[in-house]
Amino acid sequence: MVKIKEVSFEYAGNKNGGGKLEEINFSVKKGECILLCGRSGCGKTTITRLLNGLIPAYFSGDIHGEVTINDKPIDQLKMYEISEKAGSVFQNPKTQFFNVDTDSEIAFALENRALPTEQIQKRLYEVYKELGLEKLKGRSIFELSGGEKQKIAFASVYAMNPEIYLLDEPSSNLDMNTIRELKSFLMKIKEQGKTIIIAEHRIHYLMDVADRVLYIADGKIHSKISIEEFQKQTEPERMNYGIRALDLNKVHPEKLEHVKQKKIGLEVKDVCLFHKKDTLLQEITFQATQGEIIAITGQNGSGKTTFLRTLCGLHKKYTGTFLLDGRVQTEKIRLKESYLVMQDVNYELFADTVSAECTMGIKKPDLALIERTLKALELYNLLERHPNTLSGGQKQRLAVAVSIVRKKKILAFDEPTSGLDYDNMKRVAELIKKLAENSIVFIVTHDYELICQACSRVIHFGENTVAADLPVTKENENYIKQAIGLME
């Protein structure tokens, strides 16, 4: 059904080779689910772009070889013909939205096919019902959580009923419950005989969905094996390839050095957060000291990101008090004393080069620190690359690098390991631990592996307040798993 034969590709103007492909050969049978895995920047996303026609229609470059769908060369098909056969769900669902409400977004592609209104309405009803998304009917896109946006992105593709589904890191910002829903969507389309090609780092939920695994390294296919063979590989083998855990129940909190109890650095007193007329969170009260790395957990839409924005002085609809070193901190002061790495890092990358990004706005940048940090995150060889030409994982690491060189008292990270392989997740964890020596660190995350490796404490939001506040220890492992939804 899908064939890639002797394909090599390099993006136009790509001096460092990121995302390029060399002599790629593989085929996919109808109804198969293929998992593409490999380190960030290895070329997984590039393969999906070859199959949905974005290369070369949108991403230009030097391409050789042949890509076919149903024995038809993809370069001989028009974009609308490709989209009828292959539907794409991107890592960031916002990049594929065209409308401001959920009904219009799901119906958009059907309208472009000039289907009768009655047929569109019927299909819209079927999609909501079959995917169990009735509660998202008629909603504003802007009011949805990250997980809800991902569901609508999937639903908009499902409405088209394509033969092939292409998914790029679909679970990167999802909580455990939403990942389970995503898995159920994949199982449904697989039962319908659809072909699935999915590029993913967090692969634990795909072990009984995928049929084969293609491991990509440096733009080449290193191995093609069945899912059964893949699961028989030892943990050291998988880690050596930069592959995340296959079973999160076998991941346990690491024994971290105990945080020395210094004087209270931050106090949050009776904070309530509001969005329009709704109360997102209420009665948020806790204390934190320098050296702590605090995971903020909760379901998509529970108010985690809004709390970080409030803490950093960006969200002003709240009541309550924030104190730093015993002094009440206004929004303006908190803006100066904190730094936020956003979930969508595209919003905070402004410079023309990686090098300039790390020095922007700093009067006397510590060049030695910048060099050490970029080398630690394997970004130093990309100094002259424009940030927008980096892969999703590389952008994420660059945003983390910028946070390090800023030297703030409070550092807040919103899903800092989304789109990262095991190696880079580990590097980010180690750097965050170093950052905590002089700062208080907050991490909004659904990444249980990161929590186990880096965090000293978990604050869980549930029922509009703090539902749990636990140190990350072996003794609390089951409580933490229950809090983040790993254990049903």
Side-chain angles (χ1 to χ4, degrees), residues 242-400:
I243 295 173
R244 293 288 203 108
L246 305 191
D247 184 355
L248 292 185
N249 288 308
K250 295 180 180 179
V251 177
H252 308 288
E254 292 190 2
K255 188 175 182 180
L256 303 177
E257 289 185 15
H258 185 69
V259 177
K260 295 179 181 178
Q261 291 299 322
K262 303 176 183 179
K263 67 177 182 179
I264 300 301
L266 174 71
E267 291 182 81
V268 179
K269 289 186 175 181
D270 297 320
V271 168
C272 297
L273 309 184
F274 306 97
H275 177 69
K276 295 183 178 180
K277 296 181 180 180
D278 297 326
T279 301
L280 288 179
L281 292 168
Q282 57 189 345
E283 299 177 4
I284 305 298
T285 297
F286 64 85
Q287 299 175 337
T289 64
Q290 180 180 317
E292 285 195 285
I293 304 172
I294 302 171
I296 305 294
T297 66
Q299 291 187 11
N300 291 114
S302 61
K304 304 183 299 299
T305 295
T306 305
F307 173 77
L308 283 195
R309 290 174 52 81
T310 308
L311 176 65
C312 295
L314 295 169
H315 181 82
K316 299 181 180 181
K317 292 185 178 181
Y318 74 96
T319 59
T321 308
F322 293 89
L323 297 93
L324 191 60
D325 298 328
R327 297 179 181 179
V328 174
Q329 305 292 294
T330 64
E331 291 96 340
K332 187 175 182 179
I333 296 174
R334 297 203 304 277
L335 274 170
K336 291 182 179 180
E337 298 290 353
S338 61
Y339 188 83
L340 171 64
V341 176
M342 301 180 191
Q343 183 171 329
D344 186 350
V345 295
N346 291 298
Y347 288 127
E348 58 188 317
L349 299 177
F350 304 104
D352 292 332
T353 65
V354 168
S355 177
E357 193 70 52
C358 292
T359 58
M360 179 176 282
I362 304 175
K363 291 182 179 180
K364 295 181 180 180
D366 186 337
L367 298 180
L369 174 61
I370 292 172
E371 181 177 339
R372 289 197 306 273
T373 302
L374 292 178
K375 284 182 176 178
L377 288 171
E378 293 196 345
L379 294 171
Y380 193 70
N381 65 326
L382 306 175
L383 279 177
E384 299 308 313
R385 283 273 294 276
H386 194 293
N388 284 341
T389 68
L390 304 179
S391 72
Q394 289 166 337
K395 288 179 182 178
Q396 197 75 32
R397 279 142 54 200
L398 177 57
V400 172

Side-chain angles (χ1 to χ4, degrees), residues 39 215 222 225 229-244 422-423:
R39 292 180 170 86
Y215 177 71
H222 181 273
I225 58 176
E229 291 176 285
F230 182 66
Q231 290 174 310
K232 289 177 182 177
Q233 290 180 336
T234 65
E235 187 174 350
E237 281 180 307
R238 290 194 297 270
M239 286 184 177
N240 188 49
Y241 292 149
I243 295 173
R244 293 288 203 108
Y422 178 83
D423 295 345

Side-chain angles (χ1 to χ4, degrees), residues 95-115:
T95 61
Q96 66 188 93
F97 287 157
F98 292 90
N99 294 275
V100 296
D101 68 277
T102 54
D103 291 3
S104 298
E105 184 59 40
I106 295 173
F108 181 71
L110 302 174
E111 291 170 339
N112 278 290
R113 284 186 178 178
L115 296 178

